[in-house]
Amino acid sequence: MSDCISAVSLEEIRLWLCSGPPSARLQSWELHRNLKQALGNRVIRMNYLGDWGMQFGLLGAGFTQFGSYSKLKENPLQHLFEVYVQTNREAEHNEDLRQEARDFFRKLEEHEAQAVALWQRFRDITVEEYQQVYQVRKPASTAASDPPPECTPPPPPPQRLGVHFDVYSGESLHQSQAQDVVEQLQRRGLLKTTEKGTGVVDLSDGGDLSSVCTVLRSDGTTLYITRDLAAAIHRKQSYHFTEMIYVTDKSQANHFQQLFQILSALGNQWAQSCRHVPFGLVKGMKTRTGEVVFLEDVLDEARSRMLRNMSQSKTTKELEDPEDTAEKVGLSALIVQDFKGPLQSDYSFDWDRILQAQGDTGVFLQYTHARLCSLLEKTEDLAAAPFDPSLLLEPSAVSIVQHLLRYDEVLYQSSQDLQPKHLVNFLLKLSHLTASAHRELPVRGSPAHVAQARRRLFTAACSVLASGMKLLGVTPVSRM
């Protein structure tokens, strides 16, 4: 299943759509929403589940051969994953199994009761797994034959990832609308039938079918792009957006190029305001349990490793809840590693590197913030003293002030090109500048007015650091 997000601005409505497994590039959707909101935009987030398609045909057909209801009860998501992998492996050289998968999906599209019941069970299992990580309220069960409208849930409880969604939707909600899209393509003369019986749209410049997009299988069932077309049109009608932004892994770049072309060919001028923001893949991510990585396993391991590092560090403070601190710091390490380079670039994952307390890591951001909080707490008696900015003339102080003045510019830049690296690198540089100033500009032991001016400088640095970390989806810690 995949995730989808939307965002809407105050004066110009902007719909953001994100897709990709929740283990991929963690919280890019939440960052984009946070950036737009920080700049005065009203934001709506949509979780769009890839809960329909041939993958369920494969899973449905495969479960009858390789599935076990007892294993499904014991470890549902793991067993479904094992069945899906085995089915795909068998289907590579088994035409009968591929045909069974096509038949199962056709039954789904025709709302055959037994197929829909099995699909519903698979869907519920997957959604429940998401909820364990996101800790969102479970939406009402969705029957494929009579899907409910998209709904806006109440505010969710605190979440492990700090991600929540305003609207829940999925491909299964756009089945009938997908058939409407097919009819629109037919009326406009855009739908062509190939010798194999598939329905295609010609996207070639010369109209010679040298570049086509398949929107209908030979058996009449719809494809992912057909439902995406229907979903895009439905969102325009529902939200009246002026910009729609899809955030998915970069392998889908061609899909979205074709999607936008077909929307334009259907006469939708708003298709020009659709954008695709691709993200790259994470290489080498492993946990101790094996090669296959689930998001919750990664979060658990980040917490476990961080907790061990904290227990071995001589500078770790006594904490009320070490596991909670380790959870927050571990997550910040993952997010900063994810965001500090170009979003579309692949990168190699290394646990030891991302959890380093020094260097360009999320742990270093958290350490800097905690150190600043400690300094401000120990010098509270200086807060009421008069502030004289002319006392901040040291190069290290001037560098921090100049850097802080760039904050709004960095937020705007990140919101325009939708690249989190600008904000991450700004915060990392701020942390390095603050670390230097902390050594060179002592607060305690300095004359009162000088101490107060320096405290005010560190207060500003701490405030901006915390603000930027929250935009990234990181919860700043005050002790570690």
Side-chain angles (χ1 to χ4, degrees):
M1 289 192 177
S2 57
D3 295 335
C4 175
I5 296 171
S6 60
V8 183
S9 76
L10 288 172
E11 297 180 0
E12 294 185 347
I13 300 181
R14 293 175 183 160
L15 188 62
W16 289 35
L17 304 166
C18 303
S19 178
S23 58
R25 304 311 286 261
L26 287 176
Q27 292 180 287
S28 57
W29 58 83
E30 188 72 1
L31 168 68
H32 294 136
R33 189 274 303 181
N34 290 345
L35 285 171
K36 290 294 183 182
Q37 187 165 284
L39 295 174
N41 300 309
R42 181 171 64 92
V43 180
I44 297 174
R45 290 141 295 186
M46 180 185 292
N47 188 326
Y48 186 66
L49 300 173
D51 60 355
W52 203 251
M54 186 53 69
Q55 70 269 29
F56 284 96
L58 281 166
L59 189 58
F63 192 81
T64 60
Q65 293 190 32
F66 313 118
S68 164
Y69 283 101
S70 61
K71 291 183 179 179
L72 187 66
K73 187 175 181 179
E74 292 172 6
N75 195 343
L77 194 62
Q78 181 66 35
H79 184 55
L80 286 183
F81 176 79
E82 292 169 351
V83 169
Y84 186 70
V85 170
Q86 187 173 2
T87 304
N88 271 277
R89 189 181 299 120
E90 290 290 326
E92 290 179 1
H93 53 78
N94 188 332
E95 175 57 31
D96 290 340
L97 183 55
R98 292 198 295 271
Q99 185 58 50
E100 289 177 26
R102 290 191 287 269
D103 291 343
F104 186 91
F105 182 55
R106 188 183 66 255
K107 291 177 182 178
L108 280 180
E109 294 248 299
E110 294 172 352
H111 303 151
E112 193 272 326
Q114 188 173 356
V116 168
L118 189 58
W119 165 85
Q120 185 70 58
R121 188 166 186 176
F122 296 159
R123 183 187 189 278
D124 289 346
I125 286 170
T126 308
V127 171
E128 286 173 8
E129 176 68 17
Y130 280 13
Q131 291 164 346
Q132 288 179 14
V133 178
Y134 295 133
Q135 296 182 11
V136 296
R137 280 199 180 97
K138 183 177 179 181
S141 179
T142 304
S145 57
D146 186 23
E150 295 171 344
C151 60
T152 301
Q159 304 143 356
R160 185 170 190 184
L161 279 178
V163 174
H164 71 276
F165 301 99
D166 302 303
V167 179
Y168 296 88
S169 184
E171 284 187 65
S172 61
L173 300 179
H174 300 289
Q175 302 166 67
S176 60
Q177 297 165 7
Q179 293 297 337
D180 294 339
V181 168
V182 173
E183 293 176 6
Q184 290 181 47
L185 291 169
Q186 288 176 325
R187 288 196 301 269
R188 286 181 171 266
L190 297 171
L191 186 66
K192 312 294 182 182
T193 303
T194 67
E195 294 179 356
K196 296 181 179 180
T198 58
V200 301
V201 176
D202 185 8
L203 299 177
S204 61
D205 294 333
D208 56 3
L209 296 178
S210 60
S211 175
V212 299
C213 176
T214 304
V215 296
L216 207 61
R217 294 188 180 89
S218 58
D219 61 4
T221 57
T222 60
L223 284 85
Y224 175 43
I225 195 166
T226 326
R227 296 183 291 276
D228 253 13
L229 288 164
I233 294 170
H234 179 263
R235 291 177 194 122
K236 178 62 177 178
Q237 295 169 347
S238 300
Y239 299 104
H240 311 288
F241 59 79
T242 55
E243 185 178 27
M244 179 158 61
I245 302 171
Y246 293 80
V247 182
T248 76
D249 79 275
K250 62 184 180 182
S251 68
Q252 298 190 54
N254 185 61
H255 165 83
F256 286 104
Q257 183 180 358
Q258 292 182 334
L259 174 68
F260 302 155
Q261 281 184 267
I262 297 175
L263 287 171
S264 294
L266 285 169
N268 300 303
Q269 295 183 356
W270 49 266
Q272 299 177 3
S273 63
C274 295
R275 295 173 60 187
H276 174 225
V277 178
F279 58 77
L281 303 178
V282 182
K283 299 178 180 179
M285 179 178 279
K286 300 178 183 178
T287 65
R288 296 188 184 92
T289 57
E291 297 289 333
V292 178
V293 179
F294 292 95
L295 176 57
E296 195 161 17
D297 294 336
V298 174
L299 297 177
D300 288 344
E301 185 139 359
R303 178 182 58 201
S304 174
R305 287 174 179 262
M306 196 63 233
L307 193 61
R308 185 178 69 246
N309 289 358
M310 289 164 51
S311 67
Q312 295 174 351
S313 173
K314 296 179 180 179
T315 61
T316 299
K317 303 291 191 298
E318 184 175 344
L319 302 171
E320 183 177 335
D321 189 344
E323 284 209 4
D324 180 65
T325 300
E327 170 97 1
K328 292 172 181 175
V329 177
L331 180 58
S332 69
L334 293 170
I335 291 175
V336 168
Q337 172 63 38
D338 218 32
F339 286 166
K340 68 180 182 181
L343 198 59
Q344 69 273 20
S345 296
D346 299 342
Y347 72 85
S348 297
F349 186 88
D350 182 273
W351 279 111
D352 293 333
R353 185 181 70 247
I354 74 165
L355 293 176
Q356 289 178 354
Q358 300 298 321
D360 292 340
T361 67
V363 180
F364 179 56
L365 291 187
Q366 290 282 22
Y367 175 75
T368 302
H369 182 266
R371 195 177 187 188
L372 287 171
C373 287
S374 176
L375 171 66
L376 299 178
E377 182 181 356
K378 293 176 180 177
T379 57
E380 280 184 320
D381 56 307
L382 298 172
F387 172 53
D388 183 358
S390 67
L391 298 174
L392 297 173
L393 298 179
E394 296 86 355
S396 56
V398 173
S399 294
I400 290 179
V401 172
Q402 291 176 333
H403 192 65
L404 292 176
L405 290 173
R406 293 189 57 245
Y407 187 47
D408 287 350
E409 171 195 337
V410 169
L411 293 185
Y412 180 76
Q413 184 180 13
S414 291
S415 73
Q416 290 301 296
D417 65 8
L418 304 178
Q419 289 291 332
K421 63 179 182 178
H422 308 302
L423 177 56
V424 171
N425 291 322
F426 171 88
L427 296 177
L428 289 170
K429 184 175 180 180
L430 175 60
S431 295
H432 287 296
L433 291 173
T434 302
S436 297
H438 192 275
R439 292 190 298 268
E440 300 168 10
L441 306 176
V443 177
R444 281 296 186 192
S446 298
H449 289 341
V450 173
Q452 202 281 341
R454 291 175 177 176
R455 186 182 189 279
R456 186 72 66 91
L457 176 69
F458 290 125
T459 299
C462 185
S463 175
V464 171
L465 182 59
S467 171
M469 291 168 71
K470 291 174 183 176
L471 289 177
L472 294 174
V474 171
T475 301
V477 299
S478 56
R479 293 175 64 85
M480 64 175 287

